[in-house]
């Protein structure tokens, strides 16, 4: 019985599809980048057709790569770039506009307006989110207002909204199913994470008609079956979760108090807080991790906007390195950053500071500063930002982490991982399977059809590739962290 599970991982810069076996190891993979559209500074869009075509193509190629017939796929799981907003025509299935991507700052003034009207607490209490353009709700309102006649069409029931998971589900089922899961719904600013329902007051405040919204379901369970025209057979779609939540699931962070940090373009630290949402007093988001087996698991989340992207900047902006992995060798040419600190607040600061007018700052330069020091400070900045988030999280949740699981492109950097362990004072654990996002979607789908029988199977599949143990003396660590915090203060409000 060589059956497998297919995960569709629709990311911000590329679509990927991965076939997984029972042991949680990939047997086939395909990836395809698609265009980023920048209509104006601060606006980011995607063509939903490019998302769909690249995703479908990857699914077929991943099956071929795994030498697996579609009929041997036990279930399909979907994971996706979160918050990105798509509206489409219910009858034709055609998008009414480009998708507004999570990074887009297009609704900044709308968020400011809502804050000025004293609504931040209302949104925070119900959704666990902050009023930032990052989330879907204000993007929906923006589209409904910007496109002539769209509100009237929506009122007539002709328009549907979805995050990327929902749009893919609609297309995969041949236009039969309009649904999403709790984790994606929890990123819209419209979903009450306590009652698990779309919230009438929030819908009214954002002027979003209820009839455009998808049905919200648990993350593991039957969402529908694929149109047989796509893969030759109808395949069950039984798992959906936003990318960061899926990665947390794929890392087997099932126990309250367990956490993972993804080091990609940004850094996303999620801490499982169990069946109760924890309200943050320290600038973090409260979000739904997943709904599985009749139970909802909540997480605290810290989103850092620039993580591995600081290394891209060393490559593309400064030309210091030719490729991202070279940063490690350059940083290792010096024993430490020699007092140089680099706050990569290129697009402001996210959690826990939420300072949109902060800007990048390199401080502590002397005549002795070399390229290696800048590289080292950049790498260390990724770890310092993670500590900012983790400290806030531990205060909010009232607990002490005993280790951190890691994934994402920059987690391949051993220097960074060792520095992270030193700075946090806890072991950092890197798994064998780095594709934790896709794996999480596969697990959610596979659990629903009994391919994996319970989370214990998943815990058993998690295998350690390398553990980094904290080494540096505590006194030095705290001294350095204090200086980092001073550098962060100096980066704030610069673009005001
Ligand atoms: P995403 O899913 O956000 O596109 P990935 O998980 O693929 O991101 O990670 C890519 C990011 O990791 C890039 O920003 C890149 O600069 C960074 N990166 C890749 N390899 C390394 C490395 N060895 N050291 C530091 N950063 C790295």
């Amino acid at each position: 019985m060589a059956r497998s599970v297919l995960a569709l991982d629709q990311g911000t810069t590329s679509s990927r599809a991965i076939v997984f076996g029972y042991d949680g190891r990939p047997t086939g993979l395909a990836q395809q980048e698609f265009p980023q559209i920048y209509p104006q500074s601060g606006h980011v869009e995607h063509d939903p057709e490019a998302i769909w075509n690249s995703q479908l193509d990857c699914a077929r190629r991943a099956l071929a790569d795994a030498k697996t017939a579609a009929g041997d796929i036990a279930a399909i799981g979907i994971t996706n770039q979160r918050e990105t907003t798509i509206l489409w025509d219910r009858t034709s299935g055609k998008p009414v506009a480009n998708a507004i991507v999570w990074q887009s700052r297009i609704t900044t003034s709308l968020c400011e307006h809502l804050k000025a009207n004293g609504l931040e607490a209302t949104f925070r209490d119900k959704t666990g989110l902050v009023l930032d353009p990052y989330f879907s709700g204000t993007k929906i309102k923006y589209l409904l207002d910007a496109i002539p006649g769209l509100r009237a069409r929506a009122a007539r029931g002709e328009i549907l909204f979805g995050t990327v998971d929902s749009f893919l589900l609609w297309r995969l089922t041949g236009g039969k199913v309009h649904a999403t899961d709790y984790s994606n719904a929890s990123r819209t600013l419209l979903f009450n994470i306590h009652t698990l329902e779309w919230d009438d007051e929030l819908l009214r405040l954002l002027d979003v008609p209820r009839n455009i919204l998808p049905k919200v379901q648990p993350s593991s369970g039957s969402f529908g079956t694929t149109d047989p025209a796509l893969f030759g057979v109808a395949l069950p779609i039984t798992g959906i979760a936003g990318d960061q939540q899926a990665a947390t699931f794929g890392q087997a962070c099932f126990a309250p108090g367990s956490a993972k940090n993804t080091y990609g373009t940004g850094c996303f630290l999620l801490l499982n807080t169990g069946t109760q949402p924890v309200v943050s007093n320290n600038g973090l988001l409260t979000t739904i991790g997943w709904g599985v087996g009749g139970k909802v698991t909540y997480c605290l989340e810290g989103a850092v906007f620039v993580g591995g992207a600081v290394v891209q900047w060393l490559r593309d902006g400064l030309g210091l390195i030719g490729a991202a992995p070279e940063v490690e060798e350059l940083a290792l040419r010096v024993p430490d950053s020699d007092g140089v600190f680099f706050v990569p607040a290129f697009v402001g600061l996210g959690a826990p500071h939420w300072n949109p007018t902060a800007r990048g700052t390199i401080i502590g330069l002397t005549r002795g500063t070399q390229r290696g020091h800048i590289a080292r400070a950049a790498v260390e900045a990724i770890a310092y930002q993670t500590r900012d988030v983790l400290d806030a999280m531990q205060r909010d949740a009232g607990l002490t982490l005993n280790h951190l699981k890691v994934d994402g492109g920059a987690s391949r950097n051993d220097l960074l991982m060792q520095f992270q362990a030193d700075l946090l004072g806890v072991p950092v654990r890197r798994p064998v399977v780095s594709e934790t996002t896709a794996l999480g979607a596969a697990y959610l789908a596979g659990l629903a059809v009994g391919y994996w029988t319970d989370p214990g199977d998943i815990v058993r599949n998690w295998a350690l590739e390398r553990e980094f143990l904290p080494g540096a003396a505590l006194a030095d660590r705290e001294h350095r962290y204090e200086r980092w915090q001073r550098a962060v203060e100096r980066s704030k409000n610069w673009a005001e």
Side-chain angles (χ1 to χ4, degrees), residues 115-198:
K115 272 191 231 170
N117 287 335
L119 292 167
E120 182 129 61
T122 305
F123 280 97
R124 174 175 274 283
D125 290 350
K126 291 185 170 191
T127 68
L129 307 177
V130 297
L131 276 176
D132 187 272
Y134 182 17
F135 306 104
S136 315
T138 57
K139 294 171 165 42
I140 304 175
K141 175 172 166 49
Y142 171 83
L143 283 173
L144 287 172
D145 290 341
I147 300 172
L150 196 59
R151 273 200 182 278
R153 286 169 68 195
R156 291 197 297 270
E158 296 169 15
I159 302 299
L160 299 177
F161 153 76
T163 39
V164 170
D165 56 307
S166 237
F167 178 68
L168 291 176
L169 180 66
W170 174 265
R171 287 279 173 104
L172 286 166
T173 59
K176 287 204 172 64
V177 181
H178 185 217
T180 188
D181 89 299
Y182 290 144
S183 72
N184 276 291
S186 77
R187 314 296 293 189
T188 59
L189 277 178
L190 299 170
F191 190 70
N192 188 316
I193 62 170
H194 310 284
T195 63
L196 304 178
E197 282 167 351
W198 298 117

Side-chain angles (χ1 to χ4, degrees), residues 267-292:
C267 290
F268 294 88
L269 182 52
L270 270 77
L271 171 76
N272 180 328
T273 63
T275 52
Q276 291 304 317
V278 171
V279 177
S280 176
N281 298 310
N282 294 290
L284 303 173
L285 308 174
T286 307
T287 203
I288 295 182
W290 48 82
V292 177

